[in-house]
């Protein structure tokens, strides 16, 4: 387990909000963890975006698995992510006895974003900016709750992939990154949890057809994040104990190539 001055950056998907009991339990565990370590919560909310777009009779399409986000959709996307999802998580934090501050990637110069490709519309790629706002919030004992809405230098609002958002926040703060969802980690062909996954093991499991589809996307994002951060990234279930995850008792640690010899 890392030293207490290393923040824990926890990324959750919007699906967490579909199970309020598990979400409340996670926030209770975050409160306990905050007694010894700073915590930053980064979230997505794709399902909530889809629901709201549908209610507004707006059609959402994808290219290469990425959501095309026209600028005219951004008020709805921002409302779902930086509004509803963010404030629901903040409310759960308050209920757990935590003091949250709901912000986005664009606040306080946390990140700078550039447009990925105009064919995707207002979709951004983030890079680290200033940690000053986060430093202040963490020093004050608050829980930053960060939505994946960013902007470019001209103030154009951009929709950012939540895994990338969490990675850039971990990069900015030197934090340990946990990617939490409704799966316990990466399973092998016998449905047994893989505790440590390096590039060679990943290629082997992909070639055998074990890691595929949505899990492949998740693992590749984790591997990219681990490489970018030069430290392992953990994929685990949000219903598991944070203490167990942080002490490597559960979940899958995705190990970048540079770290293999040191594991």
């Amino acid at each position: 387990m890392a030293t207490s001055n290393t923040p824990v950056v926890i990324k959750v998907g919007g699906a967490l909000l579909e199970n309020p009991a598990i979400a409340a339990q996670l926030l209770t565990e975050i409160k306990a963890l905050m007694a010894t370590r700073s915590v930053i919560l980064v979230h997505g909310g794709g399902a909530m975006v889809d629901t709201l777009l549908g209610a507004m009779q707006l059609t959402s399409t994808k290219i290469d698995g990425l959501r095309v986000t026209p600028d005219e959709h951004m008020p709805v996307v921002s409302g779902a992510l930086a509004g509803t999802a963010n404030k629901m998580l903040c409310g759960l934090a308050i209920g757990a006895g935590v003091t949250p501050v709901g912000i986005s990637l664009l606040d306080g110069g946390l990140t700078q974003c550039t447009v990925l490709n105009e064919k995707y519309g207002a979709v951004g790629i983030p890079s680290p900016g200033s940690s000053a706002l986060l430093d202040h919030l963490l020093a004050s004992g608050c829980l930053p709750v960060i939505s994946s809405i960013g902007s470019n230098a001209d103030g154009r609002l951009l929709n950012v992939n939540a895994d990338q958002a969490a990675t850039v926040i971990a990069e900015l703060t030197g934090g340990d990154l946990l990617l939490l969802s409704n799966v316990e980690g990466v399973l092998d062909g016998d449905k047994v949890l893989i505790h440590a996954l390096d590039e060679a093991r990943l290629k082997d499991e992909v070639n055998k057809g074990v890691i595929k589809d949505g899990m492949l996307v998740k693992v590749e994002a984790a591997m990219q994040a681990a490489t970018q951060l030069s430290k392992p990234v953990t994929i685990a279930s949000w219903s598991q104990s944070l203490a167990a995850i942080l002490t490597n008792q559960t979940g899958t640690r995705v190990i970048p190539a540079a770290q293999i010899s040191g594991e």
Side-chain angles (χ1 to χ4, degrees):
M1 186 169 174
T3 56
S4 59
N5 61 356
T6 303
V8 181
V9 179
I10 300 174
K11 181 263 177 177
V12 297
L16 177 66
L17 294 169
E18 297 173 7
N19 195 321
I22 292 178
Q25 177 60 34
L26 176 63
L27 267 301
T28 298
E29 295 222 9
I30 286 174
K31 180 188 179 183
L33 180 59
M34 288 174 66
T36 56
R37 299 187 65 176
S38 297
V39 180
I40 301 166
L41 189 61
V42 181
H43 68 89
M48 196 168 288
V49 169
D50 287 335
T51 298
L52 194 53
L53 286 172
M56 301 290 290
Q57 297 184 326
L58 297 172
T59 302
S60 179
T61 61
K62 291 187 176 182
I63 299 177
D64 304 326
L66 288 175
R67 183 193 301 275
V68 177
T69 309
D71 287 285
E72 54 268 28
H73 286 192
M74 279 307 296
V76 178
V77 174
S78 297
L81 296 179
T84 305
N86 189 272
K87 298 316 167 195
M88 287 178 71
L89 282 170
C90 286
L92 288 166
I94 291 169
V98 174
T99 302
V101 178
I103 56 178
S104 299
L105 295 177
L106 56 80
D107 291 308
L110 291 179
T111 68
Q112 290 96 37
C113 296
T114 56
V115 176
L116 172 60
N117 187 309
E118 285 297 347
K119 73 178 182 179
Y120 300 112
V123 173
I125 296 295
S127 59
S130 169
S131 67
L133 175 59
L134 284 179
D135 293 341
H136 174 72
L137 294 176
L138 296 178
S140 301
C142 296
L143 172 68
V145 182
I146 306 177
S147 71
S148 56
I149 297 295
S151 78
N152 68 0
D154 296 325
R156 180 186 181 187
L157 296 183
L158 298 173
N159 187 16
V160 175
N161 174 274
D163 286 331
Q164 293 178 347
T167 299
V168 78
I169 294 300
E171 187 177 359
L172 181 64
T173 60
D176 293 331
L177 179 58
L178 309 182
L179 301 177
L180 303 187
S181 67
N182 58 354
V183 297
E184 63 175 320
V186 185
L187 305 181
D188 66 15
D190 296 319
K191 305 300 181 184
V192 176
L193 182 68
I194 300 173
H195 289 285
L197 184 68
D198 58 28
E199 287 184 309
R201 179 74 185 272
L202 171 59
K203 289 178 182 177
D204 183 51
E205 297 294 346
V206 170
N207 288 338
K208 291 188 295 186
V210 174
I211 298 177
K212 58 185 179 180
D213 302 328
M215 180 53 72
L216 178 59
V217 173
K218 186 184 296 292
V219 171
E220 286 181 336
M223 184 65 75
Q224 183 177 359
T227 302
Q228 200 166 327
L229 297 169
S230 298
K231 65 165 74 175
V233 169
T234 301
I235 297 174
S237 169
W238 47 44
S239 62
Q240 296 291 325
S241 160
L242 284 180
I245 295 170
L246 288 167
T247 52
N248 305 320
Q249 297 176 54
T250 186
T252 299
R253 298 178 81 222
V254 178
I255 304 167
Q259 296 289 308
I260 294 173
S261 60
E263 288 298 306

